Amino acid sequence: MSETIRVLITDDHPVFRQGLKGLLQALGVEVVGEAENGPEAVRLAAELQPDVVVMDLHMPGGNGIEATRTITRTSPRIGVLVLTMFRDDDSVFAAMRAGARGYLLKESGAEEIARAVRAVAAGEAIYGPEIARRVLTYFTDMPDPRRAAFPELTEREREVLELIAQGRSNAEIAGTLFLSQKTVRNHVSNIFMKLHVADRAQAIVVAREAGLGESTPR
């Protein structure tokens, strides 16, 4: 960025604030203020309008999650970069829900912190390597809602319903799943009975409301 980035540091440890301030200033970042708790960060952010608030999470006198939520709601242009020692999932996702654009651990290196400040100032979202892995693992391990839908159906019936939701005929379903058309008709009848629907059209509506029919099965 060509313009100087203006940063507000929020942390309850004066020594850490001074160290971070020196680091950022050495890299050409302007530190416009320091806060030692959440409420003070909210007040100074409104007054100073920095580009980035570097925010610790757990501080006496007011936590960083509430401060982040208030700052991002009242001043959306200000980016919040969480810099904390807490790496648990609850803290990470609470900060994300509150509107933080970045999340780093205090053990991060100087260049990583500086890069994150620049990214957040530019409107990007950035997470340290360990936090990024946690976020990726969380979303990768999330159950497929389509699998959670219709637990009364067998796996084969769910496959048939997926194809029904795609608008496939019984003949097309039989060809796709390598079944006889009689077997497909039996599956379709069972699906109608279990889902309490009268016909194919109703089955399609119910299935699509649950997210089925959006992709072609392998």
Side-chain angles (χ1 to χ4, degrees):
M1 295 180 65
S2 57
E3 297 183 0
T4 301
I5 300 171
R6 303 172 68 253
V7 172
L8 168 65
I9 298 173
T10 304
D11 196 285
D12 60 315
H13 293 97
V15 174
F16 181 82
R17 290 201 309 270
Q18 287 302 310
L20 182 58
K21 180 179 179 179
L23 163 67
L24 293 176
Q25 288 178 331
L27 294 171
V29 174
E30 181 184 359
V31 177
V32 296
E34 300 177 35
E36 62 180 18
N37 56 50
E40 188 177 8
V42 170
R43 179 180 62 79
L44 289 177
E47 176 185 330
L48 301 172
Q49 289 294 302
D51 301 304
V52 178
V53 176
V54 177
M55 182 76 71
D56 194 8
L57 289 187
H58 300 284
M59 299 170 286
N63 71 64
I65 296 296
E66 288 303 320
T68 296
R69 183 176 294 109
T70 300
I71 291 169
T72 57
R73 185 179 67 247
T74 57
S75 301
R77 62 164 293 279
I78 298 176
V80 176
L81 170 64
V82 171
L83 184 59
T84 182
M85 59 189 298
F86 293 92
R87 64 187 75 218
D88 59 287
D89 289 350
D90 287 345
S91 296
V92 172
F93 292 108
M96 292 174 65
R97 287 192 295 269
R101 289 185 198 161
Y103 197 112
L104 292 184
L105 299 177
K106 285 186 175 180
E107 63 196 44
S108 302
E111 285 302 318
E112 186 177 0
I113 293 172
R115 183 169 59 250
V117 167
R118 295 189 188 100
V120 169
E124 301 173 14
I126 187 165
Y127 302 94
E130 179 180 338
I131 303 304
R133 283 193 296 272
R134 284 178 174 274
V135 172
L136 181 60
T137 299
Y138 174 82
F139 286 108
T140 301
D141 291 346
M142 285 183 68
D144 185 343
R146 293 176 298 178
R147 293 228 172 242
F150 315 122
E152 65 271 33
L153 299 183
T154 66
E155 185 64 28
R156 177 62 82 186
E157 288 167 351
R158 193 174 289 108
E159 290 176 342
V160 172
L161 181 59
E162 173 76 40
L163 294 169
I164 290 173
Q166 293 176 18
R168 307 287 187 89
S169 66
N170 283 0
E172 290 173 324
I173 294 172
T176 299
L177 299 179
F178 303 102
L179 301 172
S180 70
Q181 290 195 44
K182 179 180 179 181
T183 299
V184 172
R185 285 196 298 271
N186 289 338
H187 285 314
V188 171
S189 296
N190 290 337
I191 291 168
F192 288 179
M193 178 182 66
K194 290 180 179 180
L195 299 187
H196 306 289
V197 297
D199 54 31
R200 207 176 195 88
Q202 289 184 9
I204 290 174
V205 170
V206 170
R208 288 184 177 174
E209 285 178 347
L212 274 69
E214 297 176 352
S215 61
T216 303
R218 292 173 295 179

